[in-house]
Amino acid sequence: MLNFAVGPVEEFRETLTIGGERTPYFRTEEFSAVMLESERLILEFSGAETGARAVFLTGSGTAGMEAVVLNVLGDGDRVLVVNGGSFGERFCKICAVHGLPHGEVRPDAGRQVREGDLAPFDGQGYTALLVNKHETSTGVLYDMALLADFCHRNGMLLLVDNISSFLADEFDMAALGADVMIAGSQKALACAPGVSVVAMGPRALERVARNRPKTFYLDLRAALADGERGQTPFTPAVGVLLQIHARLKRIAATGGAASEVERTRALAEDFRARIRGLPLEVASEAPSNAATPLHPTGGRSAYGIFEELKAHHGLWVCPNGGALRDRIFRVGHMGALTMADNVALIEALAEVLRC
Amino acid sequence: MLNFAVGPVEEFRETLTIGGERTPYFRTEEFSAVMLESERLILEFSGAETGARAVFLTGSGTAGMEAVVLNVLGDGDRVLVVNGGSFGERFCKICAVHGLPHGEVRPDAGRQVREGDLAPFDGQGYTALLVNKHETSTGVLYDMALLADFCHRNGMLLLVDNISSFLADEFDMAALGADVMIAGSQKALACAPGVSVVAMGPRALERVARNRPKTFYLDLRAALADGERGQTPFTPAVGVLLQIHARLKRIAATGGAASEVERTRALAEDFRARIRGLPLEVASEAPSNAATPLHPTGGRSAYGIFEELKAHHGLWVCPNGGALRDRIFRVGHMGALTMADNVALIEALAEVLRC
């Protein structure tokens, strides 16, 4: 099977080799050195400012999202969430579970957020913005300059879920004035799923230090304290952390984050050029390099196309759930994919769509 | 390196093979079938009663511990914790973070819990007992019959952290009247770390259904709902779940839980017989088959022995932290170890201890 899902994605051979190795005992200087170097590279690749820190949580990206809400936010906060799909909705649910007052900016599915969407919330006393930079369910890469400007104007924290966009699209935490960036192991890092990364700038770190811990497992203060010596409070997903370290080092050796973003952009653009002529339309005003959301225009069910590619062509694309199930499927461009893989997918799509 | 740590442990070759394979897309019927079979085998191997359920959380064992406290317990509960080491202490901290009133039974390090330890708490209105069946930090396997009898007499829920004891020591959830059992991927299951398993009997399930969710990521109600069709609310550690499934099936094919417990018991007894004559004493009144806690009687630092075995003999044993660091180290008997490995460790220990 060739994997065009949006995560977990196709792994590189080096990553799989580490996956097949025995898990080392990890309360050692050797493992600490690995972790400290990974932290440094995550901060470098996210453009974090001096004094920023990053921690590695064993859990899905959602664990990172909830950790940020629980540790960075607290009493007195009023949160604004950009809710243009199921991952924005997830931030709203996390706020609701923890009784955090929040408002919602609601661009329609597939639509970019615009100045007019934000205007009603200007000067309304919001203290923080939660945004999935790439709303992965609909494939919209939000206009971060617009959102950052809004936050700056309103003196708000900017907390960015960058899970499916880190290393696939440009991101400069310091230039943007973002206070938090969340990443995940199984997207453009192309490692096994199971680790979420949370990078924090000085304002977020100050919040974490000041807030009373409201969670034990997702306590970022404890993770930061143990992270100072390259360790974690609990047994982590050691193998995934070793995969992440090796991948970060390889990216560093081959041009850094910019070159990885460029590689993904080239794959996405190649794919989008090749679908011209097929009865498919890109269902997003502003797609990320990470994935192309597609709507079949000839009346075919999007989920049916996923099923047929899986059953008869040895290909996984990424179906949608809920209301979008029959309308949209997604093609990922992250991980160990090549332009030849794009050609194989296009040929299969042409056959499935009978054109 | 040969791994005698208490987790992650030495993996079997089949497990490593799966670790080296590409992560499949998981929102599929094939993966759902795997998960449903794993749930069934976990319940079978823990002796859970009919109607019990098990879910798989992506996280350390501590994620499972906190999930149980947050989902099964709630307003009106008064919790008793057996706190005889750092894992009992962890349950206390989890209760404290969430404002759950709790008392503590405090056997000394290395000592079994006795009727007299429990007497002061009899008839005092406690509603639930939290216990690490194997207090892994000190290597004490608690007297579960005594604790179960106490719970039964007092109408209390019995919530068992069985992380480092599942498949290493006997456990029969239904016979014991336990309401919850927590297990982990990296102990006797001998898979990569990153997954915690929570099995729940009918009383615990009823609690989970009734309680208001207090966590998003660790919401057991959501995990149970998605688990009905073999899925998880968030992207799980797919590879670890495939390892767990293969391992459970292999255990089923080679005699089930009893035979796996017997294999571990034989390794532990063999090791304990071989250390006679060395300046080491077993530092627990009631060791688990999972590990032997050892105190060097000749004045050597326990941590120093760990370091020397690692640096010069290619062997990992498991050091302790905190106050026990120089007093105790532990030798694990879980995972792909053999009696020949015991011989190698004994020879190295004899050399390190110069006898």
Side-chain angles (χ1 to χ4, degrees), chain B residues 274-281 296-298 300 305 308 313 329 345-355:
Chain B
R274 289 182 197 277
I275 56 167
R276 283 172 207 145
L278 294 179
L280 293 169
E281 81 188 4
T297 52
R300 291 288 301 273
I305 294 170
E308 208 168 319
H313 297 271
F329 69 96
L345 174 57
I346 292 290
E347 284 173 1
L349 276 169
E351 200 177 315
V352 169
L353 296 164
R354 286 178 190 73
C355 38

Side-chain angles (χ1 to χ4, degrees), chain A residues 260-274:
Chain A
E260 189 60 21
V261 168
E262 189 46 44
R263 194 182 65 81
T264 314
R265 185 200 316 277
L267 277 171
E269 286 182 356
D270 173 74
F271 177 77
R272 288 167 200 167
R274 288 182 197 277

Side-chain angles (χ1 to χ4, degrees), chain A residues 276-317:
Chain A
R276 284 172 205 145
L278 293 180
L280 293 169
E281 80 187 4
V282 176
S284 163
E285 281 188 1
S288 155
N289 297 322
T292 305
L294 291 166
H295 169 58
T297 52
R300 290 288 301 273
S301 152
Y303 196 83
I305 294 170
F306 155 73
E307 284 184 314
E308 208 168 318
L309 289 169
K310 169 174 172 279
H312 304 301
H313 297 271
L315 293 166
W316 280 305
V317 295

Side-chain angles (χ1 to χ4, degrees), chain B residues 20-345:
Chain B
E21 287 168 359
R22 296 148 72 219
T23 305
Y25 183 65
F26 66 100
R27 299 290 190 200
T28 60
E29 286 169 24
E30 293 80 357
F31 188 69
S32 291
V34 159
M35 292 299 289
L36 291 170
E37 187 168 45
S38 288
E39 180 181 3
R40 185 179 64 69
L41 289 170
I42 287 284
L43 294 172
E44 180 183 328
F45 294 165
S46 53
E49 66 193 285
T50 310
R53 293 283 312 279
V55 297
F56 299 81
L57 304 174
T58 295
S60 313
T62 303
M65 293 166 69
E66 187 169 23
V68 167
V69 170
L70 279 171
N71 288 270
V72 177
L73 301 174
D75 293 344
D77 276 311
R78 274 188 73 207
V79 184
L80 191 61
V81 180
V82 181
N83 179 2
S86 61
F87 290 94
E89 184 70 31
R90 189 166 292 182
F91 264 140
C92 294
K93 287 178 180 168
I94 293 172
C95 288
V97 163
H98 299 295
L100 203 61
H102 72 280
E104 301 180 31
V105 183
R106 301 204 57 143
D108 292 335
R111 231 203 60 201
Q112 180 58 278
V113 66
R114 300 200 177 87
E115 189 67 55
D117 299 318
L118 296 174
F121 303 97
D122 227 330
Q124 298 299 305
Y126 287 96
T127 59
L129 184 81
L130 283 168
V131 59
N132 319 94
K133 182 182 147 202
H134 176 211
E135 172 48 76
T136 325
S137 66
T138 58
V140 177
L141 188 72
Y142 290 127
D143 181 343
M144 291 306 294
L146 179 77
L147 292 167
D149 180 61
F150 175 82
C151 287
H152 184 68
R153 206 160 67 223
N154 285 277
M156 292 161 70
L157 291 170
L158 175 54
L159 312 176
V160 183
D161 159 9
N162 201 22
I163 294 170
S164 68
S165 180
F166 180 59
L167 297 175
D169 302 294
E170 279 164 23
F171 184 71
D172 189 322
M173 200 171 158
L176 206 59
D179 297 288
V180 161
M181 180 205 76
I182 309 164
S185 54
Q186 82 282 17
K187 303 290 186 179
L189 279 169
C191 299
V195 169
S196 182
V197 186
V198 179
M200 290 159 273
R203 285 203 301 179
L205 289 169
E206 191 254 317
R207 288 290 205 107
V208 172
R210 198 179 68 199
N211 283 334
R212 184 184 67 79
K214 291 184 286 284
T215 160
F216 189 78
Y217 185 65
L218 299 176
D219 184 351
L220 294 180
R221 199 194 297 185
L224 285 162
D226 283 10
E228 284 181 20
R229 55 187 174 91
Q231 287 288 330
T232 55
F234 320 115
T235 301
V238 177
V240 184
L241 291 169
L242 293 174
Q243 290 180 332
I244 289 174
H245 176 250
R247 173 88 166 112
L248 290 170
K249 275 183 47 170
R250 199 158 63 98
I251 292 172
T254 55
S259 131
E260 189 61 21
V261 169
E262 188 45 44
R263 192 181 67 81
T264 315
R265 185 202 316 279
L267 277 170
E269 286 181 358
D270 173 74
F271 176 77
R272 288 167 200 166
R274 289 182 197 277
I275 56 167
R276 283 172 207 145
L278 294 179
L280 293 169
E281 81 188 4
V282 176
S284 163
E285 282 189 358
S288 155
N289 296 322
T292 305
L294 291 166
H295 169 58
T297 52
R300 291 288 301 273
S301 153
Y303 197 84
I305 294 170
F306 155 73
E307 283 183 314
E308 208 168 319
L309 288 170
K310 168 174 173 277
H312 303 302
H313 297 271
L315 293 166
W316 280 305
V317 296
C318 202
N320 272 53
L324 296 176
R325 179 184 154 110
D326 288 319
R327 276 179 34 81
I328 291 178
F329 69 96
R330 292 161 293 163
V331 171
H333 309 298
M334 295 175 285
L337 294 170
T338 64
M339 299 212 183
D341 297 329
N342 279 349
V343 171
L345 174 57

Side-chain angles (χ1 to χ4, degrees), chain A residues 114-315:
Chain A
R114 300 201 177 85
E115 190 67 57
D117 299 317
L118 296 174
F121 303 97
D122 226 329
Q124 298 298 306
Y126 286 95
T127 59
L129 184 81
L130 284 168
V131 59
N132 318 94
K133 181 181 148 202
H134 175 212
E135 171 50 73
T136 326
S137 66
T138 58
V140 177
L141 188 72
Y142 290 127
D143 181 342
M144 292 306 294
L146 179 77
L147 293 167
D149 180 62
F150 175 82
C151 287
H152 184 68
R153 208 159 64 223
N154 285 276
M156 293 161 69
L157 292 169
L158 174 54
L159 312 176
V160 182
D161 158 10
N162 201 22
I163 295 171
S164 68
S165 180
F166 180 60
L167 298 175
D169 302 293
E170 279 164 23
F171 185 71
D172 189 321
M173 201 171 158
L176 206 59
D179 298 286
V180 161
M181 181 205 76
I182 309 164
S185 54
Q186 83 281 17
K187 303 290 187 180
L189 280 169
C191 299
V195 169
S196 182
V197 186
V198 179
M200 288 158 275
R203 286 204 301 179
L205 289 169
E206 190 255 318
R207 288 289 204 108
V208 171
R210 196 178 69 199
N211 283 333
R212 184 185 66 82
K214 291 185 286 283
T215 161
F216 190 78
Y217 185 65
L218 299 176
D219 184 352
L220 294 180
R221 200 194 297 185
L224 285 162
D226 284 9
E228 283 180 20
R229 55 185 173 92
Q231 286 287 331
T232 55
F234 319 114
T235 302
V238 178
V240 183
L241 291 169
L242 293 173
Q243 289 181 332
I244 290 173
H245 176 250
R247 174 88 166 111
L248 290 170
K249 275 183 46 171
R250 201 159 62 97
I251 293 171
T254 55
S259 130
E260 189 60 21
V261 168
E262 189 46 44
R263 194 182 65 81
T264 314
R265 185 200 316 277
L267 277 171
E269 286 182 356
D270 173 74
F271 177 77
R272 288 167 200 167
R274 288 182 197 277
I275 56 168
R276 284 172 205 145
L278 293 180
L280 293 169
E281 80 187 4
V282 176
S284 163
E285 281 188 1
S288 155
N289 297 322
T292 305
L294 291 166
H295 169 58
T297 52
R300 290 288 301 273
S301 152
Y303 196 83
I305 294 170
F306 155 73
E307 284 184 314
E308 208 168 318
L309 289 169
K310 169 174 172 279
H312 304 301
H313 297 271
L315 293 166

